[in-house]
Amino acid sequence: MRNILYLLLLTLFISSCGSKKSIPRKNRAITSTEVKRPSSSKQIDNIINDAMRYEGTRYKYGGTTKSGMDCSGLVYVAFKENNVALPRVSRDMATRGNKVSLSKAKEGDLVFFQTNKNRKVINHVGLVTSVKGGAVTFIHSSTSRGVIVSTLNERYWKSAFVEIRRII
């Protein structure tokens, strides 16, 4: 029984914000019912500020509160608090908005990752907080450190990077 519990916990830890479905590579147009498109950079600043309020929050699979949060929960809540509807799961978020090149990334974009090299699926998401001199900084929730700010220049994130998508 103890071995089964250990195996179950290990599986949850490894999968992080995991998914089982492959991500389609086609860009899909967003309908007005899916996302309200605010036009101001103030809205993007508000989304980033709301996400930053959770910095230091511990990781909790499926969490969406200050007591615990996973990666997609962080992004979902930050956008929801600003009246922008997104799916709850990172693999579904990766089907929204428009794909943009890394060189055109800007604050408020979503950055997606494949952290399990054995499964070619998107299972992690972060919110771009700044782009300075080509360095993309993003906030996300990691299983080991909770809600933190990282950069795409870090070797781990650079190797797991898949794409950036613009919602707003």
Side-chain angles (χ1 to χ4, degrees):
M1 182 67 169
R2 185 174 273 181
N3 288 341
I4 292 171
L5 182 59
Y6 174 74
L7 184 59
L8 183 62
L9 289 173
L10 181 63
T11 302
L12 281 175
F13 178 76
I14 290 172
S15 66
S16 182
C17 293
S19 67
K20 294 182 180 180
K21 294 182 181 178
S22 296
I23 300 302
R25 292 294 179 186
K26 296 179 190 173
N27 286 343
R28 183 174 77 72
I30 298 177
T31 65
S32 60
T33 58
E34 290 175 315
V35 174
K36 293 181 182 177
R37 288 185 174 266
S39 59
S40 72
S41 62
K42 183 171 174 52
Q43 181 108 26
I44 292 170
D45 291 342
N46 289 341
I47 290 169
I48 292 169
N49 289 336
D50 286 341
M52 294 297 285
R53 287 184 312 140
Y54 293 97
E55 189 172 11
T57 299
R58 73 178 183 87
Y59 177 87
K60 179 180 179 187
Y61 182 78
T64 57
T65 67
K66 192 73 170 158
S67 66
M69 187 158 290
D70 68 12
C71 65
S72 57
L74 173 67
V75 171
Y76 173 81
V77 167
F79 276 79
K80 183 179 179 183
E81 288 175 352
N82 289 276
N83 300 316
V84 179
L86 282 179
R88 171 61 182 85
V89 181
S90 58
R91 71 172 176 262
D92 295 334
M93 287 178 187
T95 65
R96 301 301 200 264
N98 296 306
K99 187 175 179 179
V100 296
S101 68
L102 181 58
S103 64
K104 296 194 189 241
K106 66 180 193 176
E107 292 179 1
D109 289 345
L110 300 183
V111 59
F112 294 96
F113 303 93
Q114 293 174 346
T115 61
N116 183 340
K117 295 303 177 193
N118 295 327
R119 294 174 51 212
K120 299 291 184 188
V121 293
I122 288 175
N123 65 339
H124 193 71
V125 62
L127 172 66
V128 175
T129 57
S130 72
V131 181
K132 293 180 182 162
V136 175
T137 303
F138 61 98
I139 188 166
H140 63 112
S141 184
S142 74
T143 54
S144 60
R145 296 175 56 205
V147 178
I148 58 171
V149 175
S150 298
T151 177
L152 276 178
N153 289 341
E154 296 171 40
R155 184 172 23 173
Y156 179 79
W157 295 115
K158 188 182 288 188
S159 68
F161 172 77
V162 175
E163 68 184 18
I164 293 180
R165 298 189 78 83
R166 184 159 299 143
I167 304 299
I168 298 175

